Amino acid sequence: MRAVLAASDDCIKVLDLEGRLTFMSEGGQRVMEVTDFEAIRGCAWPDFWDDAGAAETRAAIAAARDGKSYRFQGPANTTAGNLRYWDVQVSPIIGPDGRPEAILSVSRDITELRASEERYRLLAGELNHRIKNLLAMVQSIVNQTLRQGDEPIETAKPRLLDRLRALGTAQDLLLSASRHGADLKQLVEVVLAPHRFGARIAIAGPAVALSPKCALAMALATHELGTNAIKYGALSHEAGRVEIAWQLEAGDMLFRWQERGGPLVAPPTRRGFGSQMIEKALGSYLGGTAQTDYAAEGIVLSLRAPLSGLAET
C-alpha cells in the first residue's frame, strides 16, 4: 500500500474531523513540494487555500462530517509557493460504529488541463472574432469596389475577384506565419493587400526577419489594424490614408502605424477583443511595448521591440 501511495501523483491526505492534517502520501508530498510533513502535521487544511478555495474546503469538511462526499476545483500554492490548480474530492472515512471518524481528501494537479482549457477558450474567442471581421471585410471590399454606381459590373468584377483572392492569401498567411516565420515587409504587404486601393497605404522599412511566433503576432496585429481601418478608420473614407513605417534604433525595432484623413477619432469607452488581442500579441510574443494613441485626426499605434527577440523561436 505504501508503494501504491508513493507511486500516485495524487495528493492523498487524511484529516481529522476538525480538518487538521494527520497523513499525506509520499506521492502527495512530492506534488505538494513538501520536504518535511512533520512541519505541517496538525495544520488546518483550509489554511492552505485562499478566499473561495478556503470556503470550499470548509464546506467539504462539513459535508464529510455529515457522511457526504464533496468535490470542487480551485487554485492553491504548494508549500514551496508555486501556484497549481487542483481537482479535489473529499469523502468521509467511516468507523466501526458507522459514523465518520476521519476525512479522506484526494487532490489532483490539473494545472496543465486548466491551461489547455484557457488556451481553447482564447482560440475560440479569436476564431469567432476573426470570422466576424472576415465577413465585415468582404462586405467593405465589395462596397468600395462597387462604390462607383455608373461603372459596369463587367469592369468591376475582375478587381473585386482580385481583392477577394488577396484576402484569401492574407488568411493563409495568418496560418502559415505560426509555422514558418516571415520577413516583416512581405508580411505587412500580404496581410494588407486586400485593402490597398490605389496608393492609400504606404509601407516602408528595412528587412527584418521574424520567428514563427513573432510573425504570427505581427500578422494578427496588422490584420486587426487593417480591419478596424476599413470598418471605422481612415480606409472607410476615400481620402483616408495609412502610413506604416519601421526603423532600427539602438538594438530595437520602432514600428509605427498612422492613419490620416478618416473620420474624427474619439477614445473608446471600452476595450474590445481586438484591441486587447493586439496588445497581448505584441507584448507577449515580441517582448515589446505597444501604445495606441486615439488622436482626433487618426489612430496611431507605436511599437518598440528588441531585435534580439524578434528572430527567436
Side-chain angles (χ1 to χ4, degrees):
M1 180 62 69
R2 180 176 298 168
V4 169
L5 295 179
S8 174
D9 284 333
D10 291 341
C11 182
I12 302 171
K13 302 175 290 297
V14 176
L15 317 174
D16 64 21
L17 293 180
E18 299 302 318
R20 295 183 291 257
L21 287 171
T22 62
F23 170 82
M24 181 181 292
S25 64
E26 292 181 44
Q29 294 180 45
R30 181 174 63 252
V31 297
M32 272 294 293
E33 300 180 307
V34 174
T35 56
D36 180 13
F37 177 69
E38 293 303 319
I40 61 172
R41 183 191 294 273
C43 292
W45 183 44
D47 291 347
F48 292 90
W49 298 76
D50 293 325
D51 303 326
E56 290 278 21
T57 59
R58 287 191 288 269
I61 293 168
R65 281 201 296 258
D66 290 338
K68 302 173 184 176
S69 296
Y70 195 95
R71 183 174 183 176
F72 68 94
Q73 294 181 350
N77 289 335
T78 66
T79 57
N82 296 312
L83 184 63
R84 299 285 186 268
Y85 207 90
W86 306 94
D87 178 72
V88 184
Q89 298 185 65
V90 178
S91 305
I93 298 175
I94 305 301
D97 60 356
R99 298 172 60 83
E101 65 175 12
I103 299 171
L104 174 67
S105 169
V106 180
S107 303
R108 174 164 294 177
D109 183 354
I110 58 169
T111 305
E112 287 300 320
L113 176 61
R114 182 75 174 184
S116 297
E117 292 175 349
E118 290 296 329
R119 287 193 293 269
Y120 172 79
R121 279 192 285 269
L122 178 63
L123 288 173
E126 181 183 318
L127 177 61
N128 181 56
H129 182 72
R130 197 180 296 182
I131 289 173
K132 290 180 179 178
N133 276 347
L134 181 60
L135 294 174
M137 279 193 293
V138 170
Q139 183 180 23
S140 297
I141 289 171
V142 171
N143 288 339
Q144 294 206 28
T145 304
L146 303 179
R147 183 169 289 172
Q148 301 298 327
D150 56 350
E151 182 180 18
I153 188 65
E154 292 79 10
T155 305
K157 183 177 178 180
R159 288 190 293 107
L160 175 59
L161 292 177
D162 286 344
R163 288 168 180 170
L164 292 177
R165 277 192 289 269
L167 179 61
T169 302
Q171 296 301 310
D172 290 340
L173 181 63
L174 286 175
L175 297 177
S176 65
S178 62
R179 300 192 300 271
H180 309 299
D183 174 75
L184 176 58
K185 187 172 184 180
Q186 180 186 25
L187 180 148
V188 172
E189 288 178 341
V190 173
V191 170
L192 295 179
H195 312 311
R196 300 191 73 176
F197 309 135
R200 301 179 61 194
I201 300 180
I203 302 172
V208 175
L210 300 175
S211 70
K213 70 173 184 178
C214 291
L216 177 61
M218 286 301 302
L220 287 172
T222 305
H223 182 269
E224 186 66 28
L225 288 165
T227 300
N228 290 340
I230 200 170
K231 287 166 65 177
Y232 318 113
L235 298 182
S236 66
H237 282 203
E238 291 186 5
R241 287 176 50 81
V242 176
E243 297 172 3
I244 305 150
W246 59 92
Q247 62 188 54
L248 308 182
E249 179 183 293
D252 289 345
M253 179 189 71
L254 308 181
F255 180 93
R256 183 179 177 88
W257 169 291
Q258 184 165 7
E259 300 183 23
R260 305 179 190 274
L264 291 177
V265 175
T269 56
R270 66 179 184 88
R271 297 170 67 248
F273 181 89
S275 60
Q276 294 181 54
M277 185 190 69
I278 291 174
E279 294 177 7
K280 187 169 185 178
L282 295 180
S284 300
Y285 287 17
L286 276 68
T289 56
Q291 180 178 349
T292 303
D293 179 13
Y294 295 94
E297 60 273 16
I299 287 178
V300 178
L301 174 81
S302 301
L303 164 71
R304 177 184 286 268
L307 282 172
S308 58
L310 296 181
E312 292 182 355
T313 58

